Amino acid sequence: MAMWLQIEPTTRCNLSCPSCSRTQSNVHIRDILPSTLRRILHDNSNATYVKLQGLGEPFFTPNIEYMVDIIREYGMDVTTITNGTIPISEGLARKFKSIYFSINFLDPIKQQESKPRVDLDFILGNLHTVREYCKCGVNQVLTGYTTKDDIRDMQEFCTTFQLKHSIVRMENWYTPNECGYEQAKALIDTERSVWGPVDRRMGKCPWALGIAKYYDADGDPHPCCIRTNDCHKHMDRDSMCCGVCPE
């Protein structure tokens, strides 16, 4: 199976979603440097594509188009997931293999509760523009307030506009005793009470299978794409994080 990379381009973001650990004090603001990106790509020249993803909003990355150009120089495709709040130009969109938009609800009120400070109409307009130039999809994260009707509406929306629809379960990006863990756990417990338990991923994730590597914006490798803040920078796979994922 072809190997791929997930590279964090920035930790900057214009949102503060309840379950995201980006806002914790141990995550400093950083943007990947072109030289760092080139080093990662050179060291992994057998990778087929790069997913630009981390704790920040990828389109908040300074010189994002230049970063994408560097990846394409190495013959690799580029994909990402965005919150959709940053306008994406035609020229930039055309350079991506695919762009997924994180939209949990088509109901504006429920989407606002799920992702505070978002304008759903703007995000959908952005999506409709971008889908003209590259493959697009919707990542729908299930919450304790998601109903079967919400999923059905999203499926119908994606079918109508020829978008790929991915349903994602909530995950706790914190570890026990870390600030923010209990708040995230409460959200996840609510989701699990509605949608049931999830299977543990130990030994099944792309990193464990050796088909993917994750690098943060400093260019440092992580053994996990979820526990990405600085206190887990050189986490051992046998730590308390692994084995309980994705809780």
Side-chain angles (χ1 to χ4, degrees), residues 29-98:
I29 295 299
R30 60 197 176 205
D31 308 296
I32 197 164
L33 297 173
S35 58
T36 300
L37 179 58
R38 289 186 182 278
R39 172 179 59 79
I40 295 171
L41 299 175
H42 179 270
D43 291 345
N44 296 278
S45 58
N46 60 326
T48 58
Y49 75 91
V50 173
K51 181 180 182 182
L52 288 176
Q53 199 68 41
L55 290 179
E57 161 54 42
F59 290 100
F60 246 42
T61 307
N63 301 316
I64 178 64
E65 189 161 2
Y66 179 47
M67 300 301 175
V68 173
D69 286 340
I70 291 174
I71 296 170
R72 284 160 55 92
E73 283 178 19
Y74 282 79
M76 301 176 192
D77 290 328
V78 191
T79 185
T80 192
I81 302 174
T82 177
N83 63 30
T85 62
I86 311 298
I88 304 170
S89 69
E90 174 185 347
L92 179 55
R94 287 186 181 278
K95 295 181 179 183
F96 279 84
K97 180 73 172 181
S98 61

Side-chain angles (χ1 to χ4, degrees):
M1 187 176 295
M3 199 267 284
W4 56 279
L5 305 173
Q6 180 170 324
I7 301 175
E8 178 182 66
T10 186
T11 61
R12 301 175 189 271
C13 190
N14 57 337
L15 301 182
S16 298
C17 299
S19 61
C20 181
S21 60
R22 186 195 66 82
T23 55
Q24 294 303 303
S25 59
N26 56 12
V27 178
H28 65 274
I29 295 299
R30 60 197 176 205
D31 308 296
I32 197 164
L33 297 173
S35 58
T36 300
L37 179 58
R38 289 186 182 278
R39 172 179 59 79
I40 295 171
L41 299 175
H42 179 270
D43 291 345
N44 296 278
S45 58
N46 60 326
T48 58
Y49 75 91
V50 173
K51 181 180 182 182
L52 288 176
Q53 199 68 41
L55 290 179
E57 161 54 42
F59 290 100
F60 246 42
T61 307
N63 301 316
I64 178 64
E65 189 161 2
Y66 179 47
M67 300 301 175
V68 173
D69 286 340
I70 291 174
I71 296 170
R72 284 160 55 92
E73 283 178 19
Y74 282 79
M76 301 176 192
D77 290 328
V78 191
T79 185
T80 192
I81 302 174
T82 177
N83 63 30
T85 62
I86 311 298
I88 304 170
S89 69
E90 174 185 347
L92 179 55
R94 287 186 181 278
K95 295 181 179 183
F96 279 84
K97 180 73 172 181
S98 61
I99 298 176
Y100 279 75
F101 285 69
S102 180
I103 306 172
N104 297 344
F105 300 96
L106 290 176
D107 180 319
I109 296 176
K110 295 179 79 171
Q111 176 69 2
Q112 181 69 227
E113 292 173 347
S114 174
K115 290 180 173 289
R117 306 202 329 263
V118 301
D119 182 338
L120 182 59
D121 287 339
F122 177 87
I123 293 171
L124 294 179
N126 201 12
L127 169 58
H128 284 307
T129 298
V130 172
R131 73 182 179 87
E132 298 294 327
Y133 310 119
C134 74
K135 294 180 181 178
C136 283
V138 172
N139 262 31
Q140 183 179 21
V141 179
L142 298 185
T143 76
Y145 305 101
T146 307
T147 66
K148 291 182 179 179
D149 287 345
D150 292 319
I151 296 176
R152 182 207 61 213
D153 291 346
M154 191 68 77
Q155 288 172 335
E156 292 178 352
F157 173 80
C158 290
T159 298
T160 299
F161 295 105
Q162 298 181 313
L163 306 168
K164 186 170 179 59
H165 179 216
S166 296
I167 296 176
V168 183
R169 300 297 299 271
M170 291 189 75
E171 300 183 342
N172 198 337
W173 295 359
Y174 301 89
T175 53
N177 301 319
E178 183 181 0
C179 179
Y181 174 83
E182 292 300 331
Q183 178 187 11
K185 184 176 184 301
L187 293 172
I188 291 168
D189 286 346
T190 301
E191 186 263 9
R192 300 290 190 264
S193 69
V194 175
W195 296 103
V198 293
D199 293 333
R200 303 299 187 195
R201 280 205 296 256
M202 184 60 177
K204 301 177 184 178
C205 68
W207 286 260
L209 295 174
I211 60 173
K213 294 181 181 179
Y214 174 80
Y215 292 87
D216 66 19
D218 290 328
D220 293 325
H222 290 247
C224 179
C225 68
I226 297 300
R227 319 294 180 176
T228 53
N229 57 28
D230 293 346
C231 65
H232 305 136
K233 186 179 284 287
H234 300 291
M235 180 184 75
D236 292 329
R237 189 169 292 283
D238 294 332
S239 74
M240 62 182 174
C241 300
C242 246
V244 299
C245 185
E247 293 295 335

